[in-house]
Amino acid sequence: MIKSDFHTHTIFSDDCNTPFDEAVSAAIKQGIEHFAVTDHYDPGFPNPDFSFDPDFDSYFAAMNRVREQYAPSPDFTFAAGIEVGIREGETDRINNTLSMFDFDVVIGSFHCYRDIDISTFDFRLTDRNKFLSDFYEYMYRMLSKYTNYDILGHLTVLDRYAGEDLSLDPCSEIIDEILKLQINNGKSVEINSSSFNYRMGVSLPRRQILERYRQLGGEMITFGSDAHNPAHYRSHFDDSLELAKAIGFKYHCTYKNREPIFNSL
């Protein structure tokens, strides 16, 4: 069993009700040895129901409190993290926020396509294949310019909303370029197991993307549950571990001071 979970959320994310200290204590009780809280920061998020702009003074105070409490522990390490929503026109704001605190890990994710919240978009109203191609072109353009993150989160997140039956073949070349950026820039690609809780039949990213990443020379992966409830910490990590080993990965990364630590699988 993987003893880390490097993508979790607490009450500081607008879509989560789990108290911060309860999240940490639950992780310890579950035997997690390396735990990251990575709450949402998505400046300019286009859905008025969710600002994804946390109270940073309280967030930083909570992370410092836990850091100090568990700093001497040989059995538990806490990583102070954040999940930033990478969007055109918002990268300066993100960088300003990241400069305010000594984070251990930053996940870079895409929850929007320009001004579209993809979680609420009705994909029946558009050409899904064209949207897919446009989305990955947009992702590539943004990641070509913005590198202030450590982990690329749930790369094929569109599968969660548009359906995993879409063929990625028309996007294979641009996805290759995205993967090469991660390799060249020393970024990890996350294996996000939340897909199983959404009753999807594929991992995030899909196996074919992880296989291609490995073929291109990618070695850096992380495991994240994306849990908004402690009951889902390390959910389906056995499946993720089996997948990673079958593809040929040898290590998974945890982070401290934004530097990767390689752990054998």
Side-chain angles (χ1 to χ4, degrees):
M1 166 64 80
I2 297 296
K3 294 187 177 181
S4 67
D5 193 335
F6 254 64
H7 189 159
T8 69
H9 296 282
T10 76
I11 199 167
F12 288 103
S13 291
D14 287 344
D15 56 355
C16 180
N17 295 316
T18 302
F20 194 97
D21 291 327
E22 181 180 312
V24 176
S25 62
I28 293 170
K29 289 177 183 177
Q30 293 178 28
I32 296 174
E33 295 179 359
H34 309 287
F35 184 69
V37 171
T38 53
D39 278 317
H40 286 293
Y41 175 51
D42 220 313
F45 196 71
N47 187 335
D49 295 328
F50 300 98
S51 69
F52 291 128
D53 191 2
D55 175 353
F56 279 110
D57 287 341
S58 298
Y59 190 43
F60 298 156
M63 289 191 289
N64 276 329
R65 182 176 67 251
V66 172
R67 269 178 167 171
E68 292 172 3
Q69 182 176 358
Y70 295 102
S73 173
D75 302 317
F76 179 76
T77 59
F78 171 74
I82 193 166
E83 180 183 10
V84 298
I86 301 173
R87 292 185 62 238
E88 198 165 41
E90 301 292 350
T91 54
D92 287 344
R93 288 177 62 186
I94 294 171
N95 284 334
N96 287 338
T97 298
L98 294 182
S99 70
M100 295 166 57
F101 188 78
D102 293 328
F103 288 101
D104 289 302
V105 64
V106 176
I107 298 175
S109 296
F110 288 81
H111 302 111
C112 301
Y113 170 61
R114 299 188 182 278
D115 292 326
I116 296 173
D117 172 4
I118 60 174
S119 71
T120 60
F121 185 70
D122 189 345
F123 287 91
R124 296 172 298 179
L125 303 179
T126 190
D127 182 331
R128 291 194 304 162
N129 287 301
K130 184 178 186 307
F131 191 99
L132 193 74
S133 295
D134 290 346
F135 179 79
Y136 286 115
E137 290 279 356
Y138 172 73
M139 182 183 291
Y140 173 71
R141 289 197 303 272
M142 292 303 301
L143 295 179
S144 296
K145 298 180 290 185
Y146 186 78
T147 60
N148 194 8
Y149 65 97
D150 308 305
I151 302 168
L152 180 59
H154 45 58
L155 170 57
T156 53
V157 67
L158 274 188
D159 290 346
R160 185 186 290 171
Y161 308 111
E164 67 269 23
D165 58 320
L166 287 173
S167 172
L168 293 179
D169 291 344
C171 309
S172 60
E173 291 186 9
I174 196 65
I175 291 176
D176 270 6
E177 295 306 312
I178 291 170
L179 296 175
K180 291 175 186 176
L181 283 176
Q182 309 320 299
I183 295 167
N184 294 336
N185 293 332
K187 311 300 183 183
S188 290
V189 170
E190 175 189 59
I191 300 180
N192 185 302
S193 65
S194 67
S195 53
F196 296 101
N197 294 322
Y198 283 88
R199 298 180 180 178
M200 293 169 54
V202 295
S203 62
L204 295 176
R206 302 183 192 185
R207 177 171 184 146
Q208 71 184 89
I209 302 302
L210 290 168
E211 288 177 337
R212 184 59 178 154
Y213 173 60
R214 186 71 193 95
Q215 290 169 0
L216 292 169
E219 296 181 328
M220 298 173 66
I221 59 170
T222 62
F223 293 100
S225 65
D226 205 349
H228 291 62
N229 184 314
H232 293 153
Y233 293 162
R234 294 188 298 177
S235 177
H236 292 274
F237 270 29
D238 287 343
D239 299 311
S240 298
L241 176 59
E242 181 179 348
L243 174 63
K245 285 184 173 181
I247 291 172
F249 291 104
K250 303 298 182 184
Y251 308 95
H252 70 101
C253 293
T254 54
Y255 282 81
K256 183 176 182 180
N257 298 325
R258 302 201 58 186
E259 292 291 334
I261 300 167
F262 289 81
N263 308 273
S264 296
L265 291 179

